[in-house]
């Protein structure tokens, strides 16, 4: 399970009942306790306003946000059309996590109890769609290859708007010159540590090894979109890519 | 680039510039703006260089006006260099030839949406 954004360090992992000397990696599923539960009835779910609000905000993002629209179109071109009912799920999550991508079920999980604002929903959906896009276009070994996970986390932090100056200031992280890269690196490491039972050194090493390649992999945007204007321009370039490639 | 079937030496079979000239102009103006300069400094730790977009825009205009061979070649060379810069690093993963087989598989639980 690939995690979209935790505001706090991951909780200590519990040893599973009685196993000596071996802790099992739960791949982050402990953060999403509703993943393997039988779904509640439609009526029960409707009574919870978080669920309704999550669905409404998700619909707004998919219909109007240029980041999401570009990713949806790119995924469709790659053969992975995204259906709201099948590929998104609004659930309650633990801690401060905002969302995740479950590669086992090809589903994006949105934490309805932690996403309160439309701008946040926009960013989480974009972040998770980048993971889904990587899953769709490449053989990403989410569970066994930390470098693959690191690469997707670097790309998601880089391209989703996670690391804008305002977002960083809101986290009390201050910096200007090249700070975007510092943020991307740090958030990728935190995401890896939250969902994989690896040491901080392992996570840092994996991120450092793939950073240059993955920070500069800007698909499908072709640029780092710093605003909706940039995202719209990227969408336009994506739609014109046939002309571009034919006339090089 | 593709040069097959050129009718005259130096001219290629490309019918139009890779991007519209308005797109080159937009990129150049955008690059020179204050907002982009800030974002570039925040991301890369240095101010952007925008002359290349200006040169591309001028080459595009020359292409549109008279299909000047030198302008076509200069513009395409610049764009090919952009593509090569993006492919500078070896990929971390292997690209798929087809989408994941379970992308559309129904979930185990009933979804009553």
């Amino acid at each position: 399970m690939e995690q979209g954004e935790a505001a706090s360090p991951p909780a200590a992992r519990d040893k599973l009942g009685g196993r000596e000397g071996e802790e099992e990696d739960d791949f982050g599923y402990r953060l999403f306790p509703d993943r393997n539960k039988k779904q509640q009835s439609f009526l029960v779910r409707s009574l919870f306003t978080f669920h309704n609000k999550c669905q409404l905000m998700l619909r707004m993002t998919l219909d109007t946000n240029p980041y999401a629209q570009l990713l949806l179109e790119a995924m469709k071109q790659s053969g992975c059309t995204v259906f709201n009912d099948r590929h998104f799920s609004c659930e309650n999550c633990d801690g401060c996590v905002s969302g995740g991508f479950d590669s086992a079920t090809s589903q994006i999980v949105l934490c309805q109890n932690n996403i309160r604002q439309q701008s946040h929903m926009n960013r989480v959906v974009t972040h998770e769609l980048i993971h889904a896009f990587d899953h769709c276009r490449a053989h990403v070994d989410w569970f066994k290859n930390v470098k693959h996970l690191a690469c997707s986390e670097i790309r998601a932090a880089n391209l989703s708007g996670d690391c804008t100056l305002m977002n960083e200031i809101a986290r009390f992280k201050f910096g200007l010159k090249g700070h975007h890269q510092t943020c991307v690196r740090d958030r990728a490491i935190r995401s890896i540590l939250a969902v994989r039972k690896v040491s901080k050194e392992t996570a840092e090493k994996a991120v450092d090894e793939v950073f240059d390649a993955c920070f500069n992999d800007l698909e499908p945007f072709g640029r780092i979109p710093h605003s909706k204007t940039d995202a719209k321009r990227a969408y336009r370039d994506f739609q014109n890519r046939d002309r571009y490639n034919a006339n090089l | 680039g593709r040069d097959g079937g050129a009718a005259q030496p130096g001219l290629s079979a490309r019918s139009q510039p890779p991007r519209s000239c308005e797109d080159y102009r937009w990129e150049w103006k955008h690059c020179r703006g204050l907002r982009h300069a800030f974002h570039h400094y925040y991301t890369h730790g240095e101010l952007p260089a925008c002359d290349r977009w200006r040169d591309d825009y001028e080459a595009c205009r020359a292409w549109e006006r008279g299909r000047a061979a030198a302008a076509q070649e200069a513009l395409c060379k610049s764009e090919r260099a952009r593509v090569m810069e993006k492919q500078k690093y070896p990929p971390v993963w292997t690209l798929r030839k087809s989408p994941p087989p379970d992308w559309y598989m129904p979930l185990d639980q009933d979804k009553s949406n």
Side-chain angles (χ1 to χ4, degrees):
Chain A
M1 185 83 182
E2 285 53 68
Q3 185 214 22
E5 174 169 324
S8 58
R13 290 173 178 79
D14 299 324
K15 279 194 165 54
L16 290 178
R19 291 172 88 150
E20 297 273 5
E22 187 184 49
E23 286 184 41
E24 209 170 273
D25 194 339
D26 66 3
F27 301 115
Y29 280 102
R30 76 188 179 286
L31 298 168
F32 305 91
D34 287 354
R35 281 274 79 198
N36 292 323
K37 277 190 197 160
K38 190 173 186 313
Q39 197 173 74
Q40 294 166 318
S41 71
F42 177 70
L43 184 62
V44 171
R45 276 187 292 125
S46 299
L47 290 176
F48 289 98
T49 55
F50 279 162
H51 190 78
N52 284 344
K53 190 174 175 191
C54 177
Q55 295 282 7
L56 283 170
M57 287 199 289
L58 170 62
R59 173 51 54 199
M60 178 71 89
T61 298
L62 297 179
D63 286 347
T64 65
N65 183 264
Y67 291 75
Q69 288 176 328
L70 169 50
L71 283 158
L72 291 173
E73 181 62 28
M75 289 182 68
K76 189 173 166 187
Q77 296 297 328
S78 298
C80 298
T81 305
V82 171
F83 295 102
N84 189 347
D85 290 353
R86 168 62 180 83
H87 297 108
F88 284 97
S89 177
C90 286
E91 299 174 8
N92 291 322
C93 308
D94 277 356
C96 298
V97 68
S98 304
F101 174 63
D102 186 356
S103 54
T105 56
S106 302
Q107 226 183 13
I108 288 171
V109 180
L110 300 170
C111 299
Q112 61 196 21
N113 54 326
N114 292 331
I115 302 174
R116 302 294 172 87
Q117 292 179 323
Q118 186 63 53
S119 58
H120 191 192
M121 175 64 82
N122 292 344
R123 197 155 46 79
V124 174
V125 167
T126 301
H127 184 114
E128 303 309 332
L129 276 174
I130 289 168
H131 290 318
F133 175 68
D134 288 340
H135 180 67
C136 176
R137 67 168 179 145
H139 290 283
V140 182
D141 187 352
W142 297 101
F143 296 106
K144 296 200 199 97
N145 192 327
V146 181
K147 283 197 219 174
H148 283 194
L149 176 60
C151 191
S152 195
E153 291 294 354
I154 287 166
R155 280 175 31 79
N158 186 22
L159 300 170
S160 65
D162 277 349
C163 285
T164 61
L165 180 66
M166 296 316 295
N167 283 337
E168 279 289 271
I169 288 173
R171 298 176 191 126
F172 302 104
K173 302 270 173 76
F174 302 103
L176 193 59
K177 182 177 177 177
H179 182 73
H180 178 85
Q181 294 187 43
T182 308
C183 169
V184 166
R185 181 181 180 274
D186 289 347
R187 290 187 70 76
I189 291 168
R190 283 161 66 90
S191 289
I192 292 170
L193 291 174
V195 299
R196 291 293 177 270
K197 201 183 76 63
V198 296
S199 67
K200 190 159 188 267
E201 289 71 31
T202 303
E204 285 173 348
K205 185 165 176 276
V207 166
D208 287 340
E209 280 176 9
V210 302
F211 190 84
D212 284 340
C214 301
F215 186 80
N216 289 291
D217 179 357
L218 306 176
E219 293 298 308
F221 292 92
R223 66 182 76 214
I224 298 175
H226 295 287
S227 63
K228 286 184 179 173
T229 306
D230 286 352
K232 284 180 188 164
R233 185 52 59 157
Y235 193 4
R236 185 189 156 94
D237 289 345
F238 182 79
Q239 288 169 320
N240 292 333
R241 69 196 180 287
D242 287 341
R243 168 181 169 166
Y244 182 79
N245 291 327
N247 290 287
L248 282 179
Chain B
R2 299 185 184 93
D3 284 343
Q8 298 177 27
L11 270 184
S12 76
R14 305 174 197 108
S15 58
Q16 54 186 342
R19 308 176 208 238
S20 72
C21 293
E22 183 49 42
D23 284 352
Y24 286 111
R25 184 174 181 277
W26 188 94
E27 295 288 354
W28 177 37
K29 293 291 182 190
H30 178 256
C31 182
R32 290 175 54 188
L34 200 57
R35 192 181 288 254
H36 178 260
F38 162 76
H39 284 307
H40 199 276
Y41 185 77
Y42 178 70
T43 304
H44 301 289
E46 58 185 23
L47 292 175
C50 303
D51 289 349
R52 197 165 157 193
W53 285 117
R54 182 202 62 206
D55 296 342
D56 289 346
Y57 172 57
E58 286 171 358
C60 184
R61 295 284 289 133
W63 183 331
E64 274 189 345
R65 274 195 296 268
R67 293 180 65 81
Q72 283 190 30
E73 207 41 55
L75 182 55
C76 291
K77 191 172 166 190
S78 174
E79 288 287 15
R80 283 196 296 268
R82 277 202 182 94
V83 172
M84 293 310 295
E85 278 158 28
K86 285 184 183 171
Q87 294 168 357
K88 186 157 80 168
Y89 301 99
V92 171
W93 44 48
T94 320
L95 292 179
R96 289 182 189 264
K97 292 190 173 58
S98 59
D102 54 357
W103 181 256
Y104 297 108
M105 265 174 59
L107 297 164
D108 287 340
Q109 300 135 323
D110 290 333
K111 284 264 177 200
S112 55
N113 281 345

